[in-house]
CSV table of all heavy atoms in Angstrom, one decimal:
chain,number,residue,atom,x,y,z
A,87,THR,N,100.9,1.4,18.4
A,87,THR,CA,100.3,1.3,19.7
A,87,THR,C,101.0,2.2,20.7
A,87,THR,O,102.2,2.6,20.5
A,87,THR,CB,100.5,-0.2,20.3
A,87,THR,OG1,101.9,-0.4,20.3
A,87,THR,CG2,99.8,-1.2,19.4
A,92,ARG,N,96.0,3.7,26.2
A,92,ARG,CA,95.1,2.5,26.3
A,92,ARG,C,93.7,3.0,26.7
A,92,ARG,O,93.5,3.7,27.7
A,92,ARG,CB,95.7,1.6,27.3
A,92,ARG,CG,94.9,0.3,27.5
A,92,ARG,CD,95.7,-0.6,28.4
A,92,ARG,NE,94.9,-1.7,29.0
A,92,ARG,CZ,94.6,-2.8,28.3
A,92,ARG,NH1,95.1,-3.0,27.1
A,92,ARG,NH2,93.9,-3.8,28.9
A,113,LEU,N,95.0,-1.2,22.9
A,113,LEU,CA,96.5,-1.1,22.7
A,113,LEU,C,96.9,0.4,22.5
A,113,LEU,O,98.0,0.7,22.1
A,113,LEU,CB,97.0,-1.9,21.6
A,113,LEU,CG,96.9,-3.4,21.8
A,113,LEU,CD1,97.3,-4.2,20.6
A,113,LEU,CD2,97.8,-3.8,23.0
A,115,ARG,N,95.7,2.3,20.2
A,115,ARG,CA,95.8,2.7,18.8
A,115,ARG,C,94.6,3.6,18.5
A,115,ARG,O,93.5,3.5,19.1
A,115,ARG,CB,95.7,1.5,17.9
A,115,ARG,CG,96.9,0.6,18.0
A,115,ARG,CD,96.8,-0.7,17.2
A,115,ARG,NE,95.7,-1.5,17.7
A,115,ARG,CZ,95.6,-2.9,17.5
A,115,ARG,NH1,96.6,-3.4,16.8
A,115,ARG,NH2,94.6,-3.6,18.0
A,272,GLN,N,94.0,-11.2,9.3
A,272,GLN,CA,94.9,-11.4,10.4
A,272,GLN,C,95.2,-10.1,11.1
A,272,GLN,O,95.4,-9.1,10.4
A,272,GLN,CB,96.2,-12.0,9.9
A,272,GLN,CG,96.0,-13.4,9.4
A,272,GLN,CD,95.9,-14.3,10.6
A,272,GLN,OE1,96.8,-14.7,11.2
A,272,GLN,NE2,94.6,-14.6,11.0
A,286,ARG,N,84.6,-5.7,22.3
A,286,ARG,CA,83.5,-6.3,23.1
A,286,ARG,C,83.9,-6.5,24.5
A,286,ARG,O,83.0,-6.3,25.4
A,286,ARG,CB,83.2,-7.7,22.4
A,286,ARG,CG,81.9,-8.2,22.7
A,286,ARG,CD,81.5,-9.2,21.6
A,286,ARG,NE,82.7,-10.0,21.3
A,286,ARG,CZ,82.6,-11.3,21.3
A,286,ARG,NH1,81.6,-12.0,21.7
A,286,ARG,NH2,83.7,-12.0,21.0
A,288,PHE,N,85.8,-4.8,26.3
A,288,PHE,CA,85.9,-3.5,27.0
A,288,PHE,C,84.6,-2.7,27.1
A,288,PHE,O,84.6,-1.6,27.6
A,288,PHE,CB,86.9,-2.5,26.3
A,288,PHE,CG,88.2,-3.1,26.0
A,288,PHE,CD1,88.6,-3.3,24.7
A,288,PHE,CD2,89.0,-3.6,27.0
A,288,PHE,CE1,89.9,-3.8,24.4
A,288,PHE,CE2,90.2,-4.2,26.7
A,288,PHE,CZ,90.7,-4.3,25.4
A,290,LEU,N,82.0,-2.5,28.8
A,290,LEU,CA,81.6,-1.8,30.0
A,290,LEU,C,82.4,-0.6,30.4
A,290,LEU,O,81.9,0.4,30.9
A,290,LEU,CB,81.7,-2.8,31.2
A,290,LEU,CG,80.7,-4.0,31.2
A,290,LEU,CD1,81.0,-4.9,32.3
A,290,LEU,CD2,79.3,-3.5,31.2
A,291,GLU,N,83.7,-0.7,30.1
A,291,GLU,CA,84.5,0.4,30.5
A,291,GLU,C,84.8,1.4,29.3
A,291,GLU,O,85.0,2.6,29.6
A,291,GLU,CB,85.9,-0.1,30.9
A,291,GLU,CG,85.9,-1.0,32.1
A,291,GLU,CD,85.4,-2.4,31.9
A,291,GLU,OE1,85.5,-2.8,30.7
A,291,GLU,OE2,85.0,-3.1,32.8
B,212,GLU,N,81.2,-14.6,27.5
B,212,GLU,CA,81.5,-13.3,27.2
B,212,GLU,C,82.0,-12.5,28.4
B,212,GLU,O,81.3,-12.4,29.4
B,212,GLU,CB,80.2,-12.5,26.7
B,212,GLU,CG,79.9,-12.7,25.3
B,212,GLU,CD,81.0,-12.3,24.4
B,212,GLU,OE1,81.2,-11.1,24.2
B,212,GLU,OE2,81.8,-13.2,23.9
B,234,PHE,N,91.2,-4.5,33.0
B,234,PHE,CA,90.7,-3.2,32.9
B,234,PHE,C,89.3,-3.1,33.5
B,234,PHE,O,88.7,-2.0,33.6
B,234,PHE,CB,90.5,-2.9,31.4
B,234,PHE,CG,89.9,-4.0,30.6
B,234,PHE,CD1,88.6,-4.2,30.5
B,234,PHE,CD2,90.8,-4.8,29.8
B,234,PHE,CE1,88.1,-5.2,29.8
B,234,PHE,CE2,90.2,-5.8,29.1
B,234,PHE,CZ,88.9,-6.1,29.1
B,235,SER,N,88.8,-4.2,34.0
B,235,SER,CA,87.5,-4.1,34.7
B,235,SER,C,87.6,-4.0,36.2
B,235,SER,O,86.7,-3.9,36.9
B,235,SER,CB,86.6,-5.3,34.4
B,235,SER,OG,86.3,-5.3,33.0
B,238,GLN,N,86.1,-0.9,37.9
B,238,GLN,CA,84.6,-1.0,38.0
B,238,GLN,C,84.1,-1.9,39.2
B,238,GLN,O,83.2,-1.5,39.9
B,238,GLN,CB,84.1,-1.7,36.7
B,238,GLN,CG,84.0,-0.9,35.6
B,238,GLN,CD,82.6,-0.9,35.0
B,238,GLN,OE1,81.7,-1.5,35.6
B,238,GLN,NE2,82.4,-0.1,33.9
B,288,LYS,N,100.2,-1.7,32.1
B,288,LYS,CA,99.2,-1.2,31.2
B,288,LYS,C,98.3,-2.3,30.7
B,288,LYS,O,97.1,-2.1,30.6
B,288,LYS,CB,99.9,-0.5,30.0
B,288,LYS,CG,100.6,0.7,30.4
B,288,LYS,CD,99.7,1.8,30.9
B,288,LYS,CE,100.5,3.0,31.5
B,288,LYS,NZ,99.6,3.9,32.1
B,346,LYS,N,96.9,-12.0,21.7
B,346,LYS,CA,97.1,-11.1,20.7
B,346,LYS,C,97.5,-9.7,21.3
B,346,LYS,O,98.5,-9.1,20.9
B,346,LYS,CB,95.9,-11.0,19.8
B,346,LYS,CG,96.1,-10.4,18.5
B,346,LYS,CD,94.8,-10.4,17.7
B,346,LYS,CE,94.1,-9.2,18.1
B,346,LYS,NZ,92.7,-9.1,17.6
B,347,ASP,N,96.6,-9.2,22.2
B,347,ASP,CA,96.8,-7.9,22.8
B,347,ASP,C,98.2,-7.7,23.3
B,347,ASP,O,98.9,-6.7,23.0
B,347,ASP,CB,95.8,-7.9,24.0
B,347,ASP,CG,94.7,-6.9,23.7
B,347,ASP,OD1,94.3,-6.8,22.5
B,347,ASP,OD2,94.2,-6.3,24.7
B,350,GLU,N,101.0,-7.8,20.8
B,350,GLU,CA,101.1,-6.6,20.0
B,350,GLU,C,101.8,-5.5,20.8
B,350,GLU,O,102.6,-4.7,20.3
B,350,GLU,CB,99.7,-6.2,19.5
B,350,GLU,CG,99.3,-7.1,18.4
B,350,GLU,CD,98.1,-6.5,17.7
B,350,GLU,OE1,97.9,-5.3,17.7
B,350,GLU,OE2,97.4,-7.3,17.0
B,354,SER,N,105.3,-3.6,20.0
B,354,SER,CA,105.5,-2.1,19.8
B,354,SER,C,106.6,-1.6,20.8
B,354,SER,O,107.3,-0.7,20.4
B,354,SER,CB,104.2,-1.4,20.0
B,354,SER,OG,103.9,-1.3,21.4
B,367,VAL,N,99.6,-14.2,14.3
B,367,VAL,CA,98.7,-15.0,15.1
B,367,VAL,C,98.4,-16.3,14.4
B,367,VAL,O,98.1,-16.3,13.2
B,367,VAL,CB,97.4,-14.3,15.4
B,367,VAL,CG1,96.5,-15.2,16.2
B,367,VAL,CG2,97.7,-13.0,16.1
Side-chain angles (χ1 to χ4, degrees):
Chain A
T87 58
R92 182 173 163 82
L113 290 173
R115 295 176 294 200
Q272 291 286 279
R286 200 155 43 122
F288 309 120
L290 292 175
E291 295 80 19
Chain B
E212 276 302 284
F234 47 79
S235 294
Q238 280 238 4
K288 293 296 172 188
K346 202 180 82 187
D347 250 31
E350 288 195 19
S354 78
V367 177

